[in-house]
Amino acid sequence: TLKVSGTIVPGGSITNGTGGVLGYSRDGARICYVGQQDIVGTDELYVAQPNQAGSGVRVSGTLAAGSVSGIQWPIDDQNILFKAQGDVAGITEAYAVPRDGGTRVKISPPMAAGGTTSNMTSVPGSTRYVLVVKIDGSSPWQLYSALPDGSGIIKISGAPDPATTMGVPVPTR
């Protein structure tokens, strides 16, 4: 057994359940996971090498509030996507961060109070990411796309039905 997460602060832990180990790169050289490894009470995103002890590195950066969510390893295999209140408390934005660590980059459009990102994905055969966004608390859901470096943000459409995810109906139980 090899512990790749490294030192965990007293009272901290690696998130268990569906939020635990979240993914791995296509080449198997990196895994990503969520934990309270550095700050108790805040789930942050980490990347590690699965065959190297203590290699877990926080890549989400310091968050304004809350915890990371919606982690995805896109098709390009170079970045990890996640949502967080990274810059402003109360506004959940989308970010991309290099799989080997580095600085997170905002890929969502500018937002106001109550703004949120619902979903995001990479586009096969493209260098763009697509996201569903509410610019503020009262605006409709809108579809945007951005380049991995956060540039080239464009609005693609108006308001998709909130009961869908990226145009696919959300199953009800």
Side-chain angles (χ1 to χ4, degrees), residues 5 8 39 42 49 67 72 78 88 97 101 103 114 125 133 136 148 168:
S5 61
I8 298 174
I39 301 171
T42 301
Q49 297 175 23
S67 299
Q72 292 186 30
Q78 299 304 306
V88 179
V97 65
T103 305
V133 172
D136 58 43
V168 177

Side-chain angles (χ1 to χ4, degrees), residues 53-151:
S55 64
V57 175
R58 181 177 65 170
V59 295
S60 54
T62 303
L63 305 177
S67 299
V68 299
S69 65
I71 289 97
Q72 292 186 30
W73 207 296
I75 294 167
D76 70 11
D77 208 30
Q78 299 304 306
N79 294 299
I80 303 168
L81 304 181
F82 67 97
K83 300 183 295 187
Q85 295 177 37
D87 297 326
V88 179
I91 299 176
T92 301
E93 299 179 287
Y95 297 90
V97 65
R99 75 180 213 159
D100 296 326
T103 305
R104 71 175 185 231
V105 174
K106 190 182 325 181
I107 59 171
S108 52
M111 294 187 209
T116 190
T117 302
S118 168
N119 199 357
M120 58 202 161
T121 189
S122 56
V123 179
S126 172
T127 59
R128 301 190 74 80
Y129 301 136
V130 176
L131 27 145
V132 178
V133 172
K134 263 189 157 184
I135 298 298
D136 58 43
S138 62
S139 68
W141 290 104
Q142 301 172 52
L143 195 60
Y144 284 83
S145 106
L147 292 169
D149 66 2
S151 68

Side-chain angles (χ1 to χ4, degrees), residues 6 31 33:
I31 61 169
Y33 63 94

